[in-house]
Amino acid sequence: MPDDELPLVAAKEICVNLQGRQLLENVSLKVDPGEIVTLIGPNGAGKTTLVRIILGLLKADSGEVTMRPDLRIGYMPQQLALSENMPLTVRRFLSLGSERRDIEIKGIVNELAIAQLMQQPMQRLSGGERQRVLLARSLMRRPDLLVLDEPVQGVDITGQASLYALITEIRDRFGCGVLMISHDLHLVMATTDQVLCLNQHVCCSGHPESVSQHPAYLELFGSPASAKLAVYTHHHDHTHDIHGDVEETGEEHTHG
C-alpha cells in the first residue's frame, strides 16, 4: 500500500499488565489523516497508558504500533509543572528547543490568538490561556499527528467549547490527524469523527452519537440525559475570547 494511503498511526491488539493488573487488553485503533479520534473512559481505563505506548514512552507486553514513515508528532501533555522560582515567559517557553524561525513562531502565535500573552510568565496564565500556549507548542513541528491528553483540563465550560472548536480549526487548517483523550463526550461530539470508549478493553467505538447510545457506554456513564452527555445546541449573537469574555458580533452561533 502506498504511504499516502496508510493510517498515520495504528495500534493493534495492545496488551499491558502491571503487577498482575490488566491495564489494556487487546486494544486496537487507528488515526487517518485529517481525522479526529477521541479516547474516552473512566479514570484508570488505560487512556493515557495507550497514548504513551503510541508515543513510544511505554512498551506494551504484546501487540504492535505502526506509523507512517517520517511521521511528525506534536504532543500536548495533560499537565505542565512549572516552578514558581523559575520565571519563564510564554515567548521563551515556545522557543525552547524549537528550530522554528521567529516568523514561523509568530504565525502559530497569531493562529492561536495568544500574541498578547508572549511577555507573560507561564505561571500567571489562566487555565484557558495555558492550554492554548501548550497547544501552540505542540504545533511547532507542524505535525502530521497531534496527540492531546485532556486538552481542556483546568478550563471553564465556556473555554472548553472554545478550545474544542479551535482543535477542529487546526485540523482543518493543517490537515493533521488528531488523537485526543477527553472525559466529556457532550463537548467532543460535535468536534470528533470517531470515539473509542475504553475500560481496559474497547467497550465500543464509532461515531460519537452511536457510542453515546451503546449499552456498554450507558453502563459506564448512564444515559445521556442523566449524565448531561447529550449534544447541546444554543444560539446567540456573540462569541467568547481567550479569557471567556463576550465578543459581540451580531451573528448567530451554534455550539455542539
Side-chain angles (χ1 to χ4, degrees):
M1 182 182 294
D3 288 349
D4 60 1
E5 295 181 12
L6 294 170
L8 296 175
V9 65
K12 184 178 180 181
E13 298 184 354
I14 300 297
C15 294
V16 178
N17 288 276
L18 181 64
Q19 297 178 344
R21 180 183 171 216
Q22 187 90 45
L23 299 184
L24 292 171
E25 181 179 4
N26 296 323
V27 174
S28 300
L29 69 75
K30 70 180 181 70
V31 182
D32 290 319
E35 183 179 37
I36 299 179
V37 176
T38 301
L39 302 175
I40 63 171
N43 290 336
K47 303 183 297 296
T48 297
T49 298
L50 179 59
V51 163
R52 294 184 71 189
I53 288 169
I54 288 172
L55 293 173
L57 302 175
L58 284 177
K59 183 175 175 57
D61 294 312
S62 62
E64 63 177 354
V65 175
T66 57
M67 295 182 178
R68 274 196 187 187
D70 303 317
L71 183 73
R72 295 190 306 274
I73 298 177
Y75 175 53
M76 179 178 171
Q78 185 178 129
Q79 294 180 334
L80 179 68
L82 293 173
S83 171
E84 292 291 335
N85 299 321
M86 185 186 300
L88 184 66
T89 65
V90 170
R91 181 181 300 278
R92 179 60 177 158
F93 174 74
L94 292 178
S95 65
L96 286 173
S98 174
E99 298 178 356
R100 291 281 170 191
R101 295 175 300 171
D102 288 344
I103 191 170
E104 293 175 303
I105 294 176
K106 183 178 179 180
I108 293 174
V109 164
N110 290 337
E111 286 169 355
L112 271 71
I114 57 172
Q116 74 277 18
L117 303 177
M118 295 298 281
Q119 301 306 323
Q120 292 293 319
M122 287 289 297
Q123 293 89 340
R124 295 184 184 176
L125 300 182
S126 70
E129 291 169 342
R130 184 187 65 248
Q131 296 306 89
R132 283 184 180 244
V133 170
L134 290 177
L135 189 54
R137 171 82 181 179
S138 70
L139 290 171
M140 287 299 172
R141 299 186 65 217
R142 297 288 179 176
D144 306 304
L145 176 65
L146 192 57
V147 180
L148 311 174
D149 190 350
E150 296 280 9
V152 299
Q153 182 169 342
V155 181
D156 64 26
I157 191 69
T158 299
Q160 289 179 29
S162 176
L163 271 171
Y164 280 131
L166 177 60
I167 290 166
T168 302
E169 292 173 11
I170 288 170
R171 183 273 307 271
D172 295 341
R173 192 174 304 155
F174 290 92
C176 58
V178 179
L179 176 60
M180 176 167 55
I181 294 177
S182 181
H183 63 274
D184 40 17
L185 183 56
H186 67 301
L187 285 177
V188 301
M189 267 188 171
T191 57
T192 192
D193 301 305
Q194 295 290 318
V195 172
L196 201 74
C197 182
L198 281 182
N199 195 16
Q200 285 78 54
H201 63 283
V202 178
C203 300
C204 53
S205 63
H207 188 273
E209 289 185 4
S210 64
V211 167
S212 71
Q213 301 298 325
H214 194 283
Y217 174 85
L218 295 175
E219 184 178 348
L220 284 173
F221 297 102
S223 68
S226 64
K228 298 182 179 179
L229 288 170
V231 175
Y232 69 91
T233 302
H234 67 275
H235 302 275
H236 51 59
D237 61 356
H238 63 269
T239 57
H240 300 271
D241 63 15
I242 186 173
H243 308 285
D245 297 325
V246 171
E247 294 179 322
E248 298 294 341
T249 63
E251 297 178 355
E252 187 175 75
H253 295 267
T254 300
H255 290 260

